[in-house]
Amino acid sequence: KAAADQKNSRKLTNTVYETLASYGLTLDEFKEVRDSESPADFGGLPSSGDTQQLWLDAAVFEYEAPTSYGIQDMSTSPHYHPYLVCSTHPDLSGSQRESLVNDTFQNTPGVFASHLYTDGIMFHNDETISCGVLRAFNDTIAKVYEANPNAEEYMTVNPLSSSMKMMENTVEILRSWFSGDVDGGGVVSINEEDGTDINSPSNMGRMEVKQMGLHMVLCPGVQDFEVEDVPDEEIADSIKGF
């Protein structure tokens, strides 16, 4: 079965990847649900021309990445990828939209429970759109859209690139911090306990990261270690401790 899945995944052509990329949020639309480093990374807003093409090319690359590993890696993280899935079903709550999206994935032939990982955390939710993060097998998204041709009308999927995972101004703030400015702003904050010298060796470099920001920065695939899931809390505690 593993060999058959690998063979099928390699049949996905650039045209298929480009079609899948077109089903995602545009850079401008993504800005509406998350303030991230993406606008700075892809050329600013509003996106058009080269900026939008670069955004689509990056999505194509992220779709290609999980299919480029050998059969021996089939059960491990390289064949999984993190995605932002958004639903625009009208007149529904976030939980109702989430349920419909989950049903769409789970009822798709060839998509098994082991191919889809969600954490139950709603990434964004308002009256018009609800978004969540999932980890899916390399050809899962293609299978879902192929089996549900009307899904593109109410569901968007974006592979998560590095800049999409970082809150806006993360790079600038970290550069400022490393140059001596300890104000972490809205992205990170420096842990200063009463009476503690922040510049002491024991506290130098210690940051408290917003939980949701940390959750997004961490690729969901990192949860997989030797084919066993590592709890979010364990990962978060380790990162914050480091």
Side-chain angles (χ1 to χ4, degrees):
K1 181 185 181 299
D5 282 346
Q6 176 70 2
K7 182 178 180 180
N8 289 335
S9 68
R10 287 178 173 172
K11 291 180 180 179
L12 296 175
T13 64
N14 280 344
T15 300
V16 173
Y17 293 131
E18 291 166 1
T19 300
L20 291 175
S22 73
Y23 296 153
L25 298 174
T26 66
L27 179 57
D28 301 82
E29 290 170 336
F30 181 65
K31 168 68 174 177
E32 294 299 313
V33 302
R34 180 173 176 81
D35 291 325
S36 73
E37 285 285 67
S38 292
D41 193 25
F42 288 95
L45 297 173
S47 61
S48 62
D50 291 344
T51 298
Q52 181 60 20
Q53 188 58 53
L54 184 60
W55 174 257
L56 291 173
D57 289 344
V60 170
F61 173 81
E62 298 293 343
Y63 273 116
E64 291 176 337
T67 67
S68 61
Y69 296 88
I71 294 174
Q72 68 272 17
D73 299 314
M74 288 295 291
S75 298
T76 60
S77 289
H79 275 275
Y80 291 86
H81 198 78
Y83 300 90
L84 180 70
V85 181
C86 298
S87 168
T88 56
H89 285 91
D91 303 321
L92 295 180
S93 68
S95 60
Q96 289 172 321
R97 289 172 180 155
E98 181 182 21
S99 179
L100 286 175
V101 169
N102 282 334
D103 287 345
T104 299
F105 274 80
Q106 300 292 8
N107 293 330
T108 297
V111 174
F112 304 96
S114 60
H115 293 178
L116 180 67
Y117 294 79
T118 58
D119 52 26
I121 296 177
M122 188 65 68
F123 169 72
H124 176 87
N125 185 39
D126 62 32
E127 292 183 355
T128 60
I129 189 170
S130 304
C131 303
V133 180
L134 64 82
R135 174 172 56 138
F137 196 65
N138 57 15
D139 61 354
T140 294
I141 307 302
K143 286 181 176 179
V144 167
Y145 275 113
E146 182 179 5
N148 302 274
N150 295 325
E152 61 184 274
E153 298 178 8
Y154 60 81
M155 184 178 73
T156 65
V157 178
N158 291 77
L160 283 169
S161 62
S162 298
S163 62
M164 292 172 70
K165 301 174 189 177
M166 290 188 283
M167 296 180 71
E168 187 176 25
N169 296 324
T170 296
V171 174
E172 180 180 347
I173 289 172
L174 289 177
R175 283 175 175 170
S176 297
W177 187 82
F178 282 115
S179 67
D181 179 4
V182 297
D183 181 10
V187 179
V188 296
S189 60
I190 309 306
N191 181 26
E192 291 185 85
E193 297 180 358
D194 292 341
T196 301
D197 180 5
I198 188 61
N199 293 315
S200 70
S202 62
N203 276 329
M204 182 64 72
R206 183 170 180 80
M207 301 181 186
E208 292 180 348
V209 187
K210 285 187 175 181
Q211 191 70 24
M212 181 57 75
L214 176 61
H215 174 78
M216 282 296 297
V217 169
L218 289 172
C219 166
V222 80
Q223 294 176 325
D224 181 78
F225 180 75
E226 294 183 353
V227 202
E228 294 183 3
D229 282 341
V230 180
D232 288 346
E233 294 79 9
E234 182 177 336
I235 298 172
D237 289 344
S238 296
I239 295 297
K240 287 190 286 189
F242 176 81

